[in-house]
Amino acid sequence: MCRQRGEALCKKAGWGILSCRLSANGLHRTMIRLFRNKELQNLWEGKRSRIDARFQTRILRRLDALAAASVAEDVNLPGFNFHGLLGFNPTRYTIHVNGPWSITFEFDAGDAQRVDFEQYHQEDANDLSRSRTLPDASG
């Protein structure tokens, strides 16, 4: 409900839905600028998403925190298992969702960039078919 009310206020303010959110402190522009994962973007925009419904509430809670963040460390919250990933320039960060699934992102000039939903830990490094496939309700 808050998301729907926020969308209406964002439109009234002349802001796009992606760049706006409603919180207890009022209306704010978000800091998520670019999604790498189309299904994650669809979920954030309130559209139909193939991401498993069991994950959606947790994902939206994390995206809300990410949108409100002004620096990456702002999402270092209990239960999010926030940490930087090694070997990326610029630095990519991750917040845990469920099992091997995480939201990964970069932060640049106060904005979350290239936000993705992926499993970056692989049981078998040679089996790339498991990497970056979306869990869906069918299995």
Side-chain angles (χ1 to χ4, degrees), residues 57-68:
T57 300
R58 287 177 68 97
I59 290 169
L60 287 171
R61 191 174 313 124
R62 284 151 176 74
L63 290 177
D64 283 339
L66 187 57

Side-chain angles (χ1 to χ4, degrees), residues 50-86:
R50 294 182 352 186
I51 294 174
D52 191 326
R54 296 173 296 176
F55 297 165
Q56 291 183 8
T57 300
R58 287 177 68 97
I59 290 169
L60 287 171
R61 191 174 313 124
R62 284 151 176 74
L63 290 177
D64 283 339
L66 187 57
S70 55
V71 294
E73 290 74 17
D74 287 348
V75 294
N76 190 4
L77 300 170
F80 281 22
N81 192 22
F82 167 84
H83 59 278
L85 299 175
L86 299 175

Side-chain angles (χ1 to χ4, degrees), residues 2-79:
C2 182
R3 186 177 300 278
Q4 291 172 338
R5 184 169 158 237
E7 288 177 9
L9 291 172
C10 292
K11 288 178 183 176
K12 186 175 181 180
W15 297 345
I17 293 170
L18 274 180
S19 64
C20 178
R21 77 173 185 87
L22 179 67
S23 72
N25 298 325
L27 201 59
H28 303 280
R29 286 193 180 258
T30 64
M31 300 297 157
I32 298 177
R33 296 291 179 224
L34 178 66
F35 284 90
R36 290 177 67 181
N37 184 292
K38 183 70 172 171
E39 295 301 323
L40 188 63
Q41 181 175 350
N42 286 344
L43 180 63
W44 178 245
E45 292 175 349
K47 298 177 184 174
R48 187 177 185 286
S49 173
R50 294 182 352 186
I51 294 174
D52 191 326
R54 296 173 296 176
F55 297 165
Q56 291 183 8
T57 300
R58 287 177 68 97
I59 290 169
L60 287 171
R61 191 174 313 124
R62 284 151 176 74
L63 290 177
D64 283 339
L66 187 57
S70 55
V71 294
E73 290 74 17
D74 287 348
V75 294
N76 190 4
L77 300 170

